[in-house]
Amino acid sequence: MLREKTVVLGITGSIAAYKAAELASYLTQAGAKVETVMTEAAQRFISPLTLQSLNHRSVACDMWTPPENFDITHVSLAQIADVVLIAPATANIIAKLAHGLADDLLSSVVLATQAPVIVAPAMNSIMYLNQATQENLALLKKRGYTIVEPEVGRLACNEQGQGRLAALDTIVSAIDRVTGCVEDMAGLKVVVTAGGTREAFDPVRFIGNRSSGKMGYALAESAMQRGAEVTLITTTELKALSGVQVRYVENAEQMLEEVKKATEDAAVLVMAAAVADYRPKKVAQSKIKKTKDTLLLELERTPDILSEIKGKLLRIGFAAETDDLVHNAKRKLSGKKLDLIVANDVSAQGSGFGADSNKVILITRDGKEIELPLMSKYEVSNKIWDWVINIK
Ligand code: C5P
């Protein structure tokens, strides 16, 4: 569920710092990118090398010496974070955050981030229950921070009380919650198409397009991870997606047939495929020879898959445009009677065919435009599913 999420893990100077190593290892194995920031005191309890070895990434320890091969400052760490998790959090860091101090790397990252922040305190129970700490935590909660309460038990100082770092599962489910990694699509059947169709005009040649299929695969993968029942109808084989029903097709006609079958009992159809609008009218039985100087191919319209699929399901289309993005996308939205169109400028840098990222505008049937910044196709997918979940 945490695939492709960047977790900035802040470790502070509590004896529970050793537990952060297990947490970092778990998050890395779950597919998250873990960027660790350690305070000076944390480094007295556990070596940065431990975290570096577990995460296969450099560890940031202070403002003035950024890790090698790594252009990371407090601002870039703050920006790349999907979530900032401080575990364990001492009374000191809690006090600093409550009062907006930024006198070391970790407190500066927190002040500079717009990502959700999770604080998992661990300390002596008297320090934890001290009015100052409690009021600081209340202030952080009021500002929207998630506090993962420490557990009651035997503490390192041999006392009994509340102050033990929360269990790994509890911290991980807090991350799932704030990053939206929950099975909120369970029970939803979705059909996604991917890739560019190939329209043959002889046994070896076809008319195709530049679509890579990455967007459709990202949609299928993210829906599956959110618990949906997913059918992916694709012209390209990008990677194995366990848990997704995959149907391979080549041309628009075959894609239409598979989409018809798969959408019989589906709730959502997302047409991310670049379907040919025209196909050769005749397909030669044998390879066409180059006997003439010119060759004329007569083309005919392919079926419009989105328009042919009727019924109660939500229908989402893509509008890959090079100019007049919003205008053209809106025309398609109403022409095909869609619920949502994902408009993307395929000529923009880092966006469109073959790229791993995309910059899109979601336009709803009632004309609402949701402009998203440049983000990975996986993140774009999650924004589309968030919209689906919201209106379902
Ligand atoms: O009409 P245009 O091809 O620009 O519309 C793009 C949207 O329509 C995409 O979602 C594409 O998958 C879908 N489409 C379709 N059938 C076609 C052509 C495009 O469903 N024949």
Side-chain angles (χ1 to χ4, degrees):
M1 299 303 287
L2 288 165
R3 259 179 73 83
E4 292 209 9
K5 296 283 177 204
T6 300
V7 180
V8 171
L9 171 63
I11 307 177
T12 66
S14 147
I15 179 64
Y18 74 94
K19 296 183 182 170
E22 197 188 350
L23 185 61
S25 164
Y26 176 88
L27 294 173
T28 302
Q29 281 176 38
K33 211 192 281 170
V34 181
E35 302 288 1
T36 310
V37 179
M38 295 178 75
T39 62
E40 215 175 306
Q43 293 166 59
R44 297 191 176 240
F45 287 99
I46 178 172
S47 159
L49 187 61
T50 309
L51 276 302
Q52 198 172 313
S53 313
L54 290 169
N55 298 337
H56 319 293
R57 317 183 72 78
S58 311
V59 172
C61 290
D62 72 80
M63 297 275 274
W64 318 113
T65 45
E68 276 169 40
N69 317 322
F70 209 54
D71 176 29
I72 285 285
T73 65
H74 62 289
V75 176
S76 43
L77 274 168
Q79 283 170 346
I80 60 172
D82 289 304
V83 57
V84 177
L85 164 68
I86 306 178
T90 56
N92 185 50
I93 188 79
I94 291 167
K96 289 208 289 189
L97 301 186
H99 297 283
L101 265 69
D103 62 350
D104 65 1
L105 183 59
L106 182 58
S107 50
S108 306
V109 168
V110 176
L111 210 58
T113 197
Q114 289 184 313
V117 181
I118 302 175
V119 174
M123 66 197 77
N124 165 279
S125 59
I126 297 170
M127 287 174 86
Y128 178 69
L129 295 173
N130 187 297
Q131 201 178 343
T133 306
Q134 288 302 311
E135 284 177 7
N136 288 335
L137 284 169
L139 210 56
L140 294 182
K141 263 192 217 167
K142 207 169 103 193
R143 290 186 198 141
Y145 287 35
T146 300
I147 312 297
V148 185
E149 304 285 340
E151 292 181 353
V152 177
R154 200 190 65 82
L155 304 174
C157 49
N158 264 336
E159 280 177 28
Q160 186 77 16
Q162 189 174 9
R164 281 163 64 111
L165 183 70
L168 190 137
D169 282 356
T170 316
I171 297 174
V172 171
S173 59
I175 302 175
D176 283 344
R177 245 188 350 268
V178 303
T179 54
C181 290
V182 283
E183 296 219 339
D184 54 358
M185 289 178 72
L188 206 64
K189 182 165 181 200
V190 305
V191 178
V192 176
T193 63
T197 59
R198 295 173 163 198
E199 309 295 334
F201 56 89
D202 79 9
V204 291
R205 304 186 183 97
F206 58 83
I207 296 179
N209 60 65
R210 295 183 194 281
S211 172
S212 62
K214 285 182 180 173
M215 191 67 234
Y217 267 77
L219 278 157
E221 186 172 22
S222 51
M224 179 266 291
Q225 287 168 347
R226 290 170 73 156
E229 191 187 323
V230 187
T231 305
L232 173 67
I233 300 165
T234 177
T235 62
T236 51
E237 188 175 1
L238 281 191
K239 57 177 171 178
L241 285 183
S242 59
V244 171
Q245 294 197 39
V246 185
R247 310 258 180 275
Y248 294 103
V249 293
E250 188 176 271
N251 57 38
E253 194 66 51
Q254 293 166 353
M255 187 171 274
L256 172 65
E257 288 317 305
E258 288 299 333
V259 170
K260 270 186 185 161
K261 274 190 250 164
T263 48
E264 268 168 20
D265 55 349
V268 189
L269 166 65
V270 187
M271 286 289 302
V275 185
D277 294 322
Y278 292 91
R279 66 182 165 209
K281 201 166 176 184
K282 284 196 200 115
V283 184
Q285 291 303 308
S286 31
K287 190 178 168 193
I288 298 173
K289 298 281 175 241
K290 51 178 175 206
T291 48
K292 292 184 246 158
D293 281 347
T294 57
L295 175 70
L296 267 183
L297 278 178
E298 192 181 355
L299 304 179
E300 64 179 8
R301 286 296 304 266
T302 51
D304 191 286
I305 301 173
L306 271 171
S307 307
E308 296 229 3
I309 302 298
K310 310 242 157 55
K312 278 215 310 245
L313 81 175
L314 277 182
R315 292 172 320 123
I316 301 174
F318 274 70
E321 304 290 341
T322 50
D323 35 34
D324 256 349
L325 181 62
V326 172
H327 176 76
N328 283 325
K330 282 188 170 167
R331 217 165 27 87
K332 278 175 198 174
L333 178 76
S334 59
K336 295 176 195 248
K337 297 197 176 60
L338 304 179
D339 297 285
L340 182 78
I341 194 141
V342 184
N344 71 317
D345 180 350
V346 282
S347 60
Q349 224 188 1
S351 193
F353 295 135
D356 288 317
S357 50
N358 221 349
K359 188 170 182 334
V360 305
I361 305 174
L362 308 185
I363 308 175
T364 64
R365 198 173 24 181
D366 50 17
K368 200 168 137 215
E369 293 173 26
I370 307 161
E371 187 164 355
L372 302 176
L374 183 70
M375 51 175 69
S376 71
K377 287 185 171 170
Y378 184 85
E379 287 171 293
V380 171
S381 305
N382 274 318
K383 296 285 179 195
I384 295 169
W385 297 129
D386 288 346
W387 180 84
V388 167
I389 290 298
N390 250 322
I391 67 155
K392 269 277 158 202

